[in-house]
Amino acid sequence: QVQLVESGGGLVQAGGSLRLSCATSGLTFSTYTMGWFRQAPGKERELVTFIVWSGAGTYYKDSVKGRFTISRDNAKNTVYLQMNSLKTEDTAVYYCAARLPKTTVFDYWGQGTQVTVSS
């Protein structure tokens, strides 16, 4: 059974930082591309960033470039999202997800963790 469990969300003031973690089990983590999505109230879920299996390639949504950093530890089956210089518009439920390389659909999802940035 595949499980993705996010942690590290919370309430932070604008300009602050949070580090999200996503611990996985039940899949061959080192072969999967891992992504972070977010969904704000009343908005569609959007892709924020992803990292390929080796960690050698990443993608970031324009609005988070230079502020967010995705990383992974294949020995720990965990992906991280370091979020710095947080803005109120970063407020959302953040989800981690996994997909196989060369596919476009994320097959596995976590339950989400709330990030709230106050002004």
Side-chain angles (χ1 to χ4, degrees):
Q1 180 181 2
V2 176
Q3 287 190 314
L4 284 68
V5 180
E6 302 97 335
S7 61
L11 174 64
V12 64
Q13 287 191 328
S17 298
L18 282 175
R19 188 193 195 206
L20 305 184
S21 299
C22 173
T24 73
S25 60
L27 53 75
T28 308
F29 180 78
S30 61
T31 65
Y32 278 78
T33 292
M34 298 300 299
W36 286 96
F37 289 74
R38 67 186 181 188
Q39 186 167 21
K43 296 188 177 181
E44 293 187 353
R45 186 166 54 190
E46 63 180 4
L47 174 64
V48 176
T49 177
F50 68 75
I51 185 168
V52 300
W53 67 273
S54 64
T58 57
Y59 159 86
Y60 294 94
K61 177 180 173 64
D62 283 348
S63 62
V64 307
K65 285 181 181 177
R67 300 188 299 120
F68 289 12
T69 303
I70 189 171
S71 62
R72 65 190 296 158
D73 185 336
N74 286 348
K76 295 183 178 180
N77 297 334
T78 301
V79 62
Y80 305 96
L81 181 62
Q82 178 67 44
M83 304 186 294
N84 299 329
S85 302
L86 282 161
K87 304 177 180 180
T88 55
E89 52 263 43
D90 295 318
T91 295
V93 178
Y94 283 71
Y95 300 89
C96 71
R99 67 169 172 85
L100 288 169
K102 300 182 181 180
T103 65
T104 58
V105 176
F106 282 82
D107 300 297
Y108 302 108
W109 294 82
Q111 82 289 349
T113 186
Q114 177 70 47
V115 171
T116 303
V117 184
S118 64
S119 58

